[in-house]
Amino acid sequence: MDNKPCVAVGERPTADDAGATAGPSEPTSAITSPGPTGSAVKSAPRPIILTFAGSYLPGFKAGGPIRSLANMADCLSDEFDFRIVAPDRDLGDATAYPGVQVNRWNTVGRAEVFYRSPGAAGWRALVADLQGTDYDLIYLNSFFSTDSSLRPLLYKWLGKLKKKPVLLAPRGEFSQGALALKPIKKSLFIGLVRALNVYRDITFQASSEHEATDIQRALGVSADVRAGVHVASDLASPRSDAGPLPRERDTPSLKAVFLSRISPMKNLDGAISVLSKLACPLQFDVYGPVEDDGYWKRCSALISELPKHITVEYKGKVHPTDVQTILSGYDFFFLPTRGENYGHVIREALSAGLPVLISDQTPWKNLATVSAGADLPLAEPDAFTAWIEAFSRLSVADCQAMREGARRLGDDPVKAAHDLEANRAMLLVALGRAGTADGPREPG
């Protein structure tokens, strides 16, 4: 299987590959001429994956789900034809992306994207276009989202979308941390869909065994649910150059970085509380879009109460192409998240050679055993404080060993190849073509 645009993790692209990546950690995002209309889609020899997403390139504010989908399209487009339906603007923006043709298909990297305008007009345009379009699989990228899941399912039930198999990626929505946010509303909705057996014939994508357990716990552990969950990790972004390892410390003060959406799920307030107990001096820089203004105000109030030897600065949003360069200027990455189904930014930090201090609510486990950082229970905040204090006392040689351990974990080509095969097999299973798949190969 030749998936040339998806360069193996850790490899440097050739000149021919370079056009398939937009930067060190970002999949292809160049928007070119409008894509083919429905008649052209019918002639495509590859299975057509009609995909609904809450955001897509060139957007970046929604974080990991954009990269998950873009990486899949880049890596598997030789075998599958990805047709992605997404809003015509980035998360929270009032205007459409410049240069896109709204309510029409646009070529974006190795996928075709229908940038839907807000409101009913965009959905009418999409439904009209799809009447002349054939497709083989409907791929939903949320469980709770109206536009990425509920509306497409309703349209399928009403006959506005064809009766095709459905693959659903909840993107971490069933983690205990995610379900703890707006719990009553989510519990009522899950109870309703379980009672109606709405998702009986749907294939679910879990990015890890941990997420598979979350899905089964939320929806029930019936035979139908267990059989319908396929584990396929999100695909990592190919990197154009490994670059130098992060800086060697030149001051007594540690430099830590938080890079993620600023929302309760990412637990920035928990990170600040940990820092308040530190005896060692530390500079903590925060990057990412403010998704919840009220939450950011609470975090800012906590920051104002920190002792003088702890400094915190908000650095604003970061474009994905700048992430690795920014990360390389710090000593460690700190994200005590309440839950991640994959954690692209965690992998990027590791790949940049940055030790990571994270919660145990992600697929990145047993970091200490490979000298890449630590994954600690959220119920034990003092353990985070103790790790930082111990890290501050490490020798130069020990810090270098941790940087090398982090990079090895972030740039694991065996895992990358296994993940690619698992995603390919998952799509074939969802399409009902499991007999044509070799199946994911276990790393080893």
Side-chain angles (χ1 to χ4, degrees):
M1 180 178 61
D2 181 13
N3 288 297
K4 192 173 182 180
C6 188
V7 181
V9 176
E11 290 184 359
R12 187 184 183 92
T14 65
D16 289 338
D17 293 325
T21 56
S25 307
E26 180 66 3
T28 305
S29 61
I31 299 172
T32 57
S33 58
T37 59
S39 59
V41 173
K42 286 184 178 180
S43 64
R46 297 164 293 165
I48 296 171
I49 316 298
L50 180 62
T51 305
F52 291 87
S55 189
Y56 196 65
L57 300 175
F60 62 92
K61 295 178 184 178
I66 298 174
R67 283 176 282 173
S68 297
L69 190 53
N71 292 344
M72 178 183 280
D74 271 358
C75 292
L76 290 170
S77 59
D78 285 346
E79 296 180 73
F80 305 94
D81 189 346
F82 289 91
R83 305 281 164 160
I84 300 168
V85 179
D88 65 357
R89 61 203 65 198
D90 206 354
L91 183 67
D93 284 1
T95 57
Y97 300 117
V100 308
Q101 299 207 35
V102 177
N103 293 334
R104 294 187 63 186
W105 292 101
N106 298 254
T107 300
V108 184
R110 292 169 64 85
E112 301 295 330
V113 182
F114 189 98
Y115 289 108
R116 174 182 51 77
S117 63
W123 286 103
R124 283 197 298 270
L126 174 66
V127 169
D129 182 276
L130 292 177
Q131 296 309 305
T133 302
D134 197 9
Y135 43 89
D136 301 284
L137 177 68
I138 298 172
Y139 185 21
L140 308 178
N141 281 265
S142 174
F143 182 84
F144 293 111
S145 167
T146 299
D147 290 343
S148 302
S149 184
L150 304 182
R151 189 187 293 263
L153 285 175
L154 176 62
Y155 280 6
K156 181 187 175 189
W157 183 69
L158 293 174
K160 293 184 177 183
L161 292 179
K162 294 180 174 64
K163 305 293 186 183
K164 298 294 183 178
V166 176
L167 172 66
L168 191 151
R171 304 295 180 197
E173 290 174 327
F174 291 128
S175 72
Q176 291 179 317
L179 291 176
L181 304 174
K182 302 180 180 178
I184 296 176
K185 181 178 179 181
K186 291 178 180 178
S187 179
L188 289 173
F189 179 75
I190 290 173
L192 177 63
V193 299
R194 287 181 65 175
L196 297 176
N197 216 9
V198 172
Y199 293 90
R200 180 183 65 249
D201 298 323
I202 289 179
T203 302
F204 284 86
Q205 176 186 1
S207 61
S208 65
E209 293 291 347
H210 183 77
E211 187 178 23
T213 300
D214 287 342
I215 294 170
Q216 293 170 4
R217 182 182 60 246
L219 297 182
V221 290
S222 67
D224 284 342
V225 171
R226 287 198 302 271
V229 179
H230 191 100
V231 178
S233 177
D234 292 358
L235 299 176
S237 301
R239 294 173 60 244
S240 60
D241 194 339
L245 286 168
R247 72 174 194 123
E248 290 190 8
R249 286 172 54 194
D250 51 10
T251 65
S253 178
L254 285 175
K255 292 182 66 178
V257 59
F258 173 103
L259 198 158
S260 192
R261 293 177 291 115
I262 296 175
S263 69
M265 191 67 187
K266 304 304 179 181
N267 200 23
L268 176 60
D269 57 332
I272 297 167
S273 296
V274 166
L275 301 184
S276 70
K277 301 174 184 178
L278 286 176
C280 63
L282 183 138
Q283 175 186 332
F284 187 49
D285 290 344
V286 177
Y287 295 86
V290 176
E291 189 173 284
D292 185 324
D293 290 330
Y295 178 72
W296 174 237
K297 288 179 181 178
R298 295 197 299 275
C299 291
S300 298
L302 291 173
I303 291 170
S304 68
E305 298 173 358
L306 287 171
K308 291 184 178 180
H309 64 282
I310 306 296
T311 61
V312 179
E313 185 175 351
Y314 175 58
K315 298 284 192 175
K317 299 186 290 289
V318 179
H319 193 275
T321 55
D322 298 325
V323 167
Q324 296 245 336
T325 300
I326 288 171
L327 290 174
S328 65
Y330 294 89
D331 297 311
F332 70 94
F333 176 78
F334 188 18
L335 183 70
T337 175
R338 301 183 194 280
E340 303 290 331
N341 72 305
Y342 178 72
H344 281 278
V345 71
I346 298 170
R347 182 261 165 184
E348 285 175 319
L350 291 166
S351 187
L354 201 63
V356 301
L357 177 58
I358 58 176
S359 75
D360 61 358
Q361 299 299 303
T362 86
W364 301 94
K365 304 289 189 184
N366 304 313
L367 297 176
T369 62
V370 292
S371 299
D375 46 293
L376 303 174
L378 289 174
E380 300 177 17
D382 289 346
F384 288 87
T385 304
W387 186 92
I388 297 172
E389 294 282 6
F391 185 80
S392 73
R393 296 189 293 268
L394 290 180
S395 67
V396 172
D398 287 340
C399 286
Q400 181 69 12
M402 286 194 71
R403 294 185 186 110
E404 293 171 354
R407 175 162 288 176
R408 282 194 300 271
L409 182 59
D411 286 350
D412 184 346
V414 175
K415 182 180 186 303
H418 173 261
D419 292 345
L420 184 63
E421 287 301 309
N423 276 264
R424 173 180 174 268
M426 174 191 66
L427 291 174
L428 292 171
V429 167
L431 284 160
R433 304 180 185 184
T436 67
D438 296 329
R441 294 188 295 270
E442 290 298 329

